[in-house]
Amino acid sequence: MLQRPKPISDLFAFLSQHHNINIEVQHGFITESLSPSRLEDRAILLMQKVLQTQSQPKLDPICNFLKEVTAAGAHRSFKAFRDFATESGKYELIDGLRRQDGWGPKTAALFVRNLGYIELEPTLKNKFWPDTSVLAGDNLRLPVDRVITAVFEALAPRLPEGPSATIAGINEYLHDRLCYRDQELLIWDDLWFWGFITQKNAKGGPREHGWNEAKYWAVPHAPKDALSIGRIKATSDKFLELVS
């Protein structure tokens, strides 16, 4: 029987218990992306929103990709998009998407993660590709960035055989070695929310871990009433106990 390290199991239990908080944030982001009146425009906007999360998006390659998607009609349905991105099944979905102009491992994982949220929520799926299907078939990976690598760096002393703090290392650890799959990886994605609001940049050193009110207020669609903020701050203290 697979034995997962206790720090990992405890952290996953925390994320599962409080998953509803980040679901609301992500639903807000995705709903905003699905605002255009035409389905095809919603698909393009969702792609653009993801690509714009890059620290330095390369506009020319992104332009080339979006023009190719549009010309191929790959923005009209999930099947059309999947066939386009994977070269009709030559690659897995994330692997094929990360090879496209303007994309990379993190943005590919982030876009497919968004499709997972859409698939789970009927109000979102009704506005998007009706045939969206990524939650079965081992399509998801964790969109790792500096926030998530900082969490694993903090956990490292308690994980003797833990991962290298890279997108490949963390995904190999959670997916390949610890066998987290599908909707479980949507829960692991909550690491970004809790990590982001509890990290502070430190010049010339590792990130400091502690409640960061300014970063919380920078998260679109996170509740901004005092009661909700107080509850989330208190919950973040529990998160910090688990990772630092």
Side-chain angles (χ1 to χ4, degrees):
M1 182 177 178
L2 177 66
Q3 187 69 33
R4 291 166 172 162
K6 189 174 186 302
I8 292 294
S9 296
D10 289 348
L11 183 53
F12 184 74
F14 168 89
L15 297 174
S16 299
Q17 181 181 356
H18 302 289
H19 187 48
N20 63 300
I21 295 173
N22 192 42
I23 282 179
E24 291 186 14
V25 173
Q26 299 307 324
H27 282 185
F29 170 83
I30 295 170
T31 298
E32 179 183 322
S33 301
L34 303 185
S35 58
S37 58
R38 294 178 66 248
L39 171 61
E40 294 84 355
D41 293 337
R42 294 173 205 152
I44 293 295
L45 182 56
L46 189 65
M47 296 175 209
Q48 289 174 320
K49 291 279 191 181
V50 167
L51 290 165
Q52 288 166 5
T53 64
Q54 299 174 89
S55 59
Q56 293 181 314
K58 298 178 180 178
L59 298 184
D60 288 336
I62 289 172
C63 174
N64 291 337
F65 170 80
L66 294 175
K67 287 168 63 178
E68 290 175 4
V69 163
T70 303
H75 56 337
R76 293 174 181 160
S77 70
F78 174 70
K79 181 182 184 304
F81 180 80
R82 181 188 60 206
D83 288 349
F84 175 86
T86 66
E87 297 184 22
S88 298
K90 181 179 179 180
Y91 303 104
E92 297 297 326
L93 180 55
I94 285 180
D95 192 35
L97 187 54
R98 73 173 178 82
R99 296 168 183 267
Q100 301 295 322
D101 284 348
W103 293 80
K106 189 206 83 170
T107 47
L110 185 57
F111 185 75
V112 177
R113 181 216 69 171
N114 286 346
L115 296 183
Y117 276 116
I118 289 171
E119 183 180 349
L120 280 173
E121 176 51 52
T123 60
L124 297 177
K125 194 169 184 179
N126 287 341
K127 298 179 180 179
F128 204 62
W129 297 325
D131 60 336
T132 298
S133 179
V134 297
L135 292 175
D138 194 24
N139 289 298
L140 272 67
R141 297 295 184 273
L142 191 62
V144 174
D145 68 357
R146 188 66 188 91
V147 169
I148 292 178
T149 60
V151 171
F152 275 91
E153 287 168 355
L155 282 169
R158 298 157 60 193
L159 297 175
E161 298 181 3
S164 60
T166 64
I167 185 169
I170 291 170
N171 272 292
E172 186 273 337
Y173 183 68
L174 293 177
H175 178 272
D176 299 348
R177 289 163 60 183
L178 301 184
C179 297
Y180 287 101
R181 296 286 189 276
D182 303 325
Q183 291 189 45
E184 293 174 324
L185 289 172
L186 279 185
I187 292 173
W188 273 113
D189 181 68
D190 291 1
L191 269 186
W192 187 89
F193 173 79
W194 294 105
F196 183 75
I197 65 174
T198 58
Q199 291 178 17
K200 299 178 181 180
N201 296 335
K203 285 187 177 181
R207 294 189 177 194
E208 299 173 357
H209 294 267
W211 170 252
N212 191 327
E213 184 179 31
K215 282 193 171 182
Y216 180 84
W217 276 88
V219 177
H221 309 293
K224 300 302 191 294
D225 62 283
L227 182 60
S228 294
I229 292 174
R231 288 174 177 168
I232 290 172
K233 182 179 184 297
T235 305
S236 76
D237 290 339
K238 299 175 184 177
F239 173 77
L240 288 166
E241 291 174 5
L242 293 170
V243 302
S244 57

